[in-house]
Amino acid sequence: FDAGARGEIKDAAIVTEGPQILWVGADKDLPAEYLDRPFTDLAGCVMVPGLINTHAHMFQSLTRAIAQDKTLYGWLMSLYPIWAQLQPEDLYIATKLSMVELILSGCTTSSDHCYVFPNGSRLDDTIRASQDVGIRFHAVRGSMSAGISKGGIAPDSCVEEEGAIMEDCERVIRQFHDNSRFSMLRIALGPSSQKVVTDTLMQSCADLARRHPGVRLHTHLAENEEDITFMQRTKGCRFAEYIRSVGWDQGDCWFAHCCMLNEDEQKLFAERGIGIAHCPSSNTRLASGIAPVRAMLDRGVNVGVGVDGAASN
């Protein structure tokens, strides 16, 4: 529907069928074929399109208000040991809580980047929550494979072996991914960040996702000054060169934060149709920086809004 052409409609009617909107217009113009349908009287209400949340870590709902005086690295170091204790039911409850909070604030579609799976937890636990709540869900099968013993920053107790990660990514795609037009559930693949995964895992996820239509790719990028230093020290380059090297420079990718992209990197994102999840509350809370959103929009970059995790906003 062309909302711009219609403008504000008073005394309106909306006809729905499952996840599809069939008709919108003035109540007096309601087609006869819909007159005998059951209806809900929403007199006194305003109907607006649902908000879309492009980045979240719903498991963090159970760990709010911890490490309040820390920036990103110190905050992560404080929380990793706690997240390692999560049980499957904890993951389900945290995800369900986040989804209810989102719906109550007007959000009807959300991604969730879940990258810790301790004690038998699986992406299935978050998907069960979405089906119970009824939100349109893009479940991101996140991952961490490079613990401290392999040069990463996460405790080894929080990471998985790459073979097991890829097997489970394949499983959740085949079991849950629905690429139909009005799908309520799609899968994306999301190695957590350059500090906790290998280039091999990034490339493997890209290869797997592109074998399945509609499976997208998501990770963190250019969140703060520490990320610039880490990238130059470990990869010898900045962000654009890195994402090119691992095959994440296409329009099926979207990245969280991107506070530190330079002009050339912003141009690449615009040219390739790469998306950005702008998370201003989290960037403020962790003193990460201020994303150059106005400049990116002016260059044609696809920028959405994300709430990030409840522990950092």
Side-chain angles (χ1 to χ4, degrees):
F1 297 103
D2 185 352
R6 294 169 182 267
E8 180 182 326
I9 306 173
K10 294 184 178 180
D11 300 319
I14 300 175
V15 180
T16 65
E17 188 171 84
Q20 183 177 3
I21 297 174
L22 299 179
W23 186 88
V24 176
D27 182 66
K28 63 181 179 61
D29 297 328
L30 185 67
E33 62 193 280
Y34 299 132
L35 289 175
D36 294 333
R37 290 196 173 203
F39 70 93
T40 301
D41 186 356
L42 297 175
C45 296
V46 176
M47 297 289 287
V48 297
L51 300 174
I52 299 172
N53 176 31
T54 61
H55 182 66
H57 305 295
M58 296 185 183
F59 68 89
Q60 295 179 11
S61 289
L62 302 184
T63 56
R64 306 178 197 225
I66 295 173
Q68 293 280 356
D69 58 341
K70 305 289 186 181
T71 56
L72 179 61
Y73 178 79
W75 175 82
L76 286 169
M77 293 305 101
S78 299
L79 284 163
Y80 278 140
I82 301 174
W83 295 336
Q85 306 304 313
L86 290 173
Q87 303 293 322
E89 191 66 9
D90 299 329
L91 184 55
Y92 166 77
I93 291 170
T95 304
K96 191 172 185 178
L97 172 61
S98 294
M99 290 175 172
V100 169
E101 291 177 338
L102 285 167
I103 286 177
L104 288 172
S105 67
C107 177
T108 57
T109 299
S110 183
S111 65
D112 177 42
H113 189 190
C114 187
Y115 55 80
V116 290
F117 298 98
N119 308 309
S121 300
R122 302 198 300 175
L123 196 69
D124 310 44
D125 302 312
T126 71
I127 291 170
R128 179 163 62 98
S130 76
Q131 292 171 338
D132 288 348
V133 172
I135 196 170
R136 178 172 275 111
F137 193 38
H138 286 246
V140 182
R141 204 302 182 180
S143 52
M144 298 191 295
S145 63
I148 291 173
S149 65
K150 295 182 180 179
I153 66 171
D156 289 342
S157 60
C158 290
V159 305
E160 303 171 88
E161 293 297 325
E162 292 191 359
I165 291 170
M166 295 311 303
E167 286 181 10
D168 196 56
C169 287
E170 181 81 47
R171 178 189 70 83
V172 297
I173 291 171
R174 294 192 179 281
Q175 185 172 345
F176 296 114
H177 181 62
D178 176 7
N179 196 39
S180 63
R181 182 181 179 190
F182 298 108
S183 170
M184 295 295 288
L185 176 61
R186 288 179 178 159
I187 301 297
L189 303 184
S192 180
S193 78
Q194 300 76 50
K195 297 176 181 178
V196 291
V197 302
T198 66
D199 292 355
T200 299
L201 183 62
M202 295 287 288
Q203 293 163 342
S204 296
C205 285
D207 292 342
L208 175 59
R210 288 168 184 149
R211 294 201 296 269
H212 298 275
V215 175
R216 298 174 65 84
L217 297 163
H218 182 55
T219 190
H220 302 84
L221 190 76
E223 185 168 355
N224 59 18
E225 291 284 354
E226 292 174 358
D227 283 359
I228 298 175
T229 302
F230 181 87
M231 189 69 69
Q232 291 175 333
R233 177 171 58 83
T234 61
K235 313 293 184 185
C237 63
R238 278 188 57 93
F239 306 109
E241 186 177 345
Y242 169 73
I243 63 173
R244 285 193 188 102
S245 72
V246 293
W248 282 57
D249 58 341
Q250 304 299 319
D252 56 359
C253 303
W254 89 101
F255 296 92
H257 305 302
C258 295
C259 298
M260 300 298 163
L261 295 185
N262 62 25
E263 291 185 5
D264 289 339
E265 290 160 346
Q266 294 172 34
K267 291 176 183 177
L268 174 68
F269 274 53
E271 291 167 1
R272 300 293 177 85
I274 301 169
I276 291 174
H278 173 47
C279 304
S281 295
S282 176
N283 297 155
T284 303
R285 158 70 178 80
L286 295 172
S288 296
I290 300 173
V293 174
R294 181 69 267 163
M296 292 192 290
L297 290 173
D298 289 345
R299 289 191 170 92
V301 178
N302 183 16
V303 181
V305 175
V307 301
D308 209 348
S312 67
N313 67 20

